[in-house]
Amino acid sequence: MAQEYQKGSISLSGAVAMGTGVMIGAGIFALTGQIAQLAGPLFPLSFVVGAIVTAFSAYTYIKMSNAYPSAGGIGMILKKAYGPTTIAAGAALLMALSMVINESLVARTFGTYILRGFGADPDSFLVPLLGVGLIVFAYLVNVSGNRSVGLLSIVMAALKIGGIALFGAAGLWASGISFEATGGDTGTGGFLASVALSILAFKGFTTITNSGAEITAPHRNVGRAIVLSIATCVVVYLLVAFAVGSSLPLDRIVAAKDYALAEAAQPALGQTGFYLTVALALVATASGLIASVFAVSRMLAMLTDMKMIPHSHFGMLGTIKDHTLVYTVVIAGFLTVFFDLSRIASLGAFFYLVMDIIIHWGVFRHLRQEVGARGWVLLAAITLDAVVLSAFAAMKWQSDPLIVVIGIVGITLVFLFVRAFLARNPVREGGQNHH
């Protein structure tokens, strides 16, 4: 396996670019409108609270990655905390699935913005079609190897962060810095539920954890890269939230929730601004997807290697990583075709928050002395996740009970599936059974 991972092939700036690339890809284009729908006029604040919850969460990953940088990131943390058990494998699979769900979210957003750009109906069947096209493109880029992914993500991240920050600043300036998105009241429940989606907008930092072993000076740089990428995103998200809020009233943000940024660009920056925003969205979603496909296939390969999930190559040639790349793309494509944006986002939030709680609990119970983590921070992270998850589930239960049922059934199936697999193929303690 060693020859597939290139130690030191990702610089600190490359790692930050990858983290921000994944975060800013989906977060801001797909979720701003949905967050506004739940949080009402307080939606910019939702990003701030999301960042705080994420910071508590990131603490665990930073402590673990500094102690044990590895290319399997999350899978490694879970295996160290729980051993090769159903809980570890199930939670790792939830993480991988939440990343794949995120890919379909980004892919659909890509399709929605393209159609908006051409003045076509953003609810048409072309959305999933274009989304699947983007997923196939991301697959091809990934097959072409590591260096191209690293280089492309640095270039795209620079374009994207610069462009979005400019959009935010120009939007604010054009509107005379007045906040229009008032009216509509939110209860505490709606606001807390919106934080679940804000957290999704930040969860891309885990991409950095998953590439731990390949980052230069990983014991120091993994943590730094995580902190820098979350900080960058907070600034960018706030700029954008205020820009959107100052050029559109709340009901219009909600009505255009799948393409809120393009909609906000029009009154603030005219037709040119609108097209530039659409172009930015396409760059952002494409680069986010490329980085995410890279990270997920890496993680699935690692889990397969740890013998924690089954593997069938269905007669395909190549390495395990080549096969997991194909699985990733097929599942993301399926979700893109059959689910709409808000359901995809909800499913991603459920899977991610449950996995996150399992990780913090495992580190709290079994590893906190070993990695020098403070117990209260870990417990605070669990509490914050649990509060947000409960509020989100309660809110969704009122508005779309089916997605809550799909979420619960999905999570249950993942654990049953892994349990059945591990019962038939027990892993010997002490690590991987090598082929």
Side-chain angles (χ1 to χ4, degrees), residues 1 11 19 23 31 36 77 98 107 109 118 159 170 187 191 217 267 339 346 358 366 404 422:
M1 226 18 224
S11 63
M23 286 195 252
L31 298 169
I77 295 175
S98 86
T109 304
F118 286 113
L159 261 177
F191 182 76
F339 282 80
S346 304
I358 293 173
H366 306 293
V404 182
L422 289 175

Side-chain angles (χ1 to χ4, degrees), residues 373-432:
R374 292 167 196 269
W376 71 268
V377 182
L378 301 173
L379 291 176
I382 293 172
T383 310
L384 289 167
D385 274 352
V387 168
V388 170
L389 179 61
S390 318
F392 187 63
M395 197 79 183
K396 282 291 165 188
W397 185 252
Q398 288 166 353
S399 63
D400 184 9
L402 179 63
I403 196 64
V404 182
V405 173
I406 291 175
I408 294 169
V409 170
I411 290 168
T412 312
L413 285 176
V414 164
F415 283 102
L416 288 174
F417 167 75
V418 171
R419 183 166 182 187
F421 168 73
L422 289 175
R424 290 176 55 193
N425 308 277
V427 179
R428 291 199 303 272
E429 265 302 354
Q432 296 128 326

Side-chain angles (χ1 to χ4, degrees), residues 340-361:
D340 69 355
L341 271 177
S342 74
R343 283 195 159 158
I344 293 172
S346 304
L347 204 56
F350 288 137
F351 280 25
Y352 177 72
L353 287 166
V354 169
M355 181 283 313
D356 206 41
I357 291 170
I358 293 173
I359 280 199
H360 300 317
W361 179 244

